Amino acid sequence: MEMMTDITLVAAEVLALFCMMLVGVAARLAGILTKDSTRLLSSLLVNVTQPLMILTSMQISYTQERLRTGLFIALLSAGFHVLLSVVARLIYGKVKNSRVMEFGTVFANCAYLGFPVLTVIFGEEGLFYGAFFTLFYNIYIRIYGIYLLTRGGKSSLFKAFVNPGTVASVIGILLFVFSVSLPAPIYTAFSAVGEVTFPLSMIVVGNLVCNQSIVSMLRLRSFAFSAVKLLALPLAALGICLLARADETVTYMCVTMAAMPAGANTAVFSELYTNDSASAASVISISTLLSIGTIPLMIFVTSKALEWIG
C-alpha cells in the first residue's frame, strides 16, 4: 500500500468526522438536540445501527486467510483490552475521581471512529477486521466496564454475552464461514442503516461537547489523559508489535485502535452508573479534537517503523 497516500486519506477522514461533530454542535446550539438526546441516540447506535454495520461488513467472500487473521485479531483484542485495564489502573488507580478516565483509556472509540479509519487503510476488509476486534470489546465493556464505574457493582453476564453487537458479530462470522449471503433487499436495507453509524455517532459526540463550558472542558487532566491515550499507548502498541515481529496487518490494526480517542460509550455508561457525564464529555471532546492530528501521525510513524525494519 502507498502509505503517504493513505496517510493523507486518513487525515481527510478524521477531518470529515470532525466536521460531522460540528454538525452535532450546531444542532445542539440551534435547539434541535437537547442534553437528553445523547442517551436516546446512543441507544440507537449501540442497539441498531452498529450491529447492522458489523453484520453487513462480514458479507465478503470466504478465505481461510481472512478467517485466520480475523480470529487472531479477536484474540489479540482480548489481550489488548486486558493489558489496557492493567495499565489504566497503574496510571489512574490513585488519582481522585478517575473512574471515567480509566474507563475512557480502556474503551476507546474503536467502532465509530476506528472503523472508518480502518476502511481507509485496509479497504473493504477494514470493517471486517474491525468487527472481529470489537467482538471482545462488546463483551468486556459490559463486564469490566460496569465493574470499573461502579467499583465492584454487579454486571449481567447474560447481557454481556447476549447483546446486539456480540450477536451481530457471531451471526456475521457464521454467515461468512458458511458463505451465506443475505438476500439483496435485506442486505441493502441493513447496509443503508449501518452506514448511518459514522455520522450519527459524531453528532452524538458534538452534542456532548455542548454539555459543559469551554473553561471546564479545557482542564489539565483532560489534556494529560489525551497525551497518554493518543500518543503513549499507540507508541507502546507499535513497540510491542515490532518486538513480536507481528505482520503489517496486525501492526496497523493494533496501532490504529490504540490511537483512538475516548469513545462515546464513556459518556453513556458514566451517565448510567456514575452521574459524571460532564467529566466524560470533557475527555471525549478534547481527545477527539486532538486525534485529528495524532491519528495520522501514528499511522505515519507506523509506516516509517515498518519500512525501517524491512
Side-chain angles (χ1 to χ4, degrees):
M1 79 181 66
E2 186 65 35
M3 281 312 301
M4 287 305 297
T5 301
D6 285 341
I7 291 166
T8 302
L9 290 174
V10 169
E13 183 66 40
V14 176
L15 182 59
L17 290 168
F18 173 70
C19 292
M20 294 177 194
M21 185 178 74
L22 292 182
V23 172
V25 173
R28 174 66 177 274
L29 294 177
I32 298 172
L33 296 177
T34 66
K35 184 177 181 179
D36 295 330
S37 300
T38 299
R39 182 175 297 192
L40 293 174
L41 293 177
S42 296
S43 178
L44 178 65
L45 284 165
V46 173
N47 296 308
V48 180
T49 68
Q50 184 183 340
L52 292 181
M53 179 185 67
I54 291 173
L55 181 62
T56 54
S57 72
M58 292 189 165
Q59 289 285 286
I60 61 177
S61 59
Y62 171 82
T63 67
Q64 286 190 342
E65 179 64 23
R66 281 176 172 169
L67 178 61
R68 190 182 306 113
T69 302
L71 292 176
F72 179 72
I73 287 174
L75 181 63
L76 188 70
S77 174
F80 176 78
H81 284 96
V82 172
L83 180 61
L84 275 183
S85 301
V86 175
V87 171
R89 179 56 58 91
L90 291 175
I91 295 174
Y92 300 113
K94 294 184 179 180
V95 178
K96 185 178 180 181
N97 299 324
S98 64
R99 286 180 292 175
V100 168
M101 298 174 73
E102 199 172 335
F103 185 97
T105 299
V106 180
F107 302 103
N109 202 340
C110 292
Y112 304 152
L113 183 54
F115 279 14
V117 174
L118 290 177
T119 302
V120 172
I121 297 174
F122 297 110
E124 68 169 0
E125 292 185 334
L127 291 179
F128 176 78
Y129 291 139
F132 275 94
F133 189 91
T134 56
L135 179 59
F136 180 81
Y137 177 105
N138 289 324
I139 297 172
Y140 197 52
I141 196 173
R142 289 169 172 82
I143 298 178
Y144 182 72
I146 294 175
Y147 170 85
L148 177 61
L149 292 177
T150 59
R151 283 292 189 251
K154 294 182 178 179
S155 58
S156 170
L157 287 178
F158 177 80
K159 290 182 179 180
F161 287 92
V162 183
N163 60 78
T166 305
V167 170
S169 297
V170 172
I171 293 175
I173 291 172
L174 291 175
L175 294 178
F176 166 72
V177 170
F178 292 103
S179 298
V180 177
S181 298
L182 294 171
I186 294 178
Y187 174 82
T188 300
F190 285 5
S191 179
V193 175
E195 289 175 358
V196 174
T197 300
F198 299 149
L200 186 58
S201 64
M202 297 314 298
I203 289 174
V204 169
V205 173
N207 189 31
L208 286 171
V209 171
C210 300
N211 283 352
Q212 57 185 318
S213 66
I214 297 296
V215 174
S216 61
M217 188 172 68
L218 299 178
R219 291 184 296 179
L220 179 60
R221 63 187 288 162
S222 296
F223 286 96
F225 167 87
S226 297
V228 172
K229 187 75 190 75
L230 303 177
L231 296 175
L233 291 181
L235 288 175
L238 174 60
I240 292 173
C241 288
L242 294 178
L243 289 173
R245 294 289 181 178
D247 64 27
E248 185 176 291
T249 298
V250 171
T251 300
Y252 276 116
M253 172 67 69
C254 287
V255 175
T256 299
M257 289 309 200
M260 291 299 113
N265 278 333
T266 304
V268 176
F269 278 71
S270 296
E271 186 168 332
L272 289 173
Y273 297 104
T274 69
N275 291 318
D276 191 18
S277 58
S279 296
S282 178
V283 299
I284 291 170
S285 304
I286 295 302
S287 62
T288 299
L289 291 173
L290 294 177
S291 71
I292 296 171
T294 59
I295 291 174
L297 174 63
M298 290 299 102
I299 300 300
F300 176 77
V301 170
T302 301
S303 69
K304 291 303 180 182
L306 289 174
E307 287 177 10
W308 181 69
I309 66 172

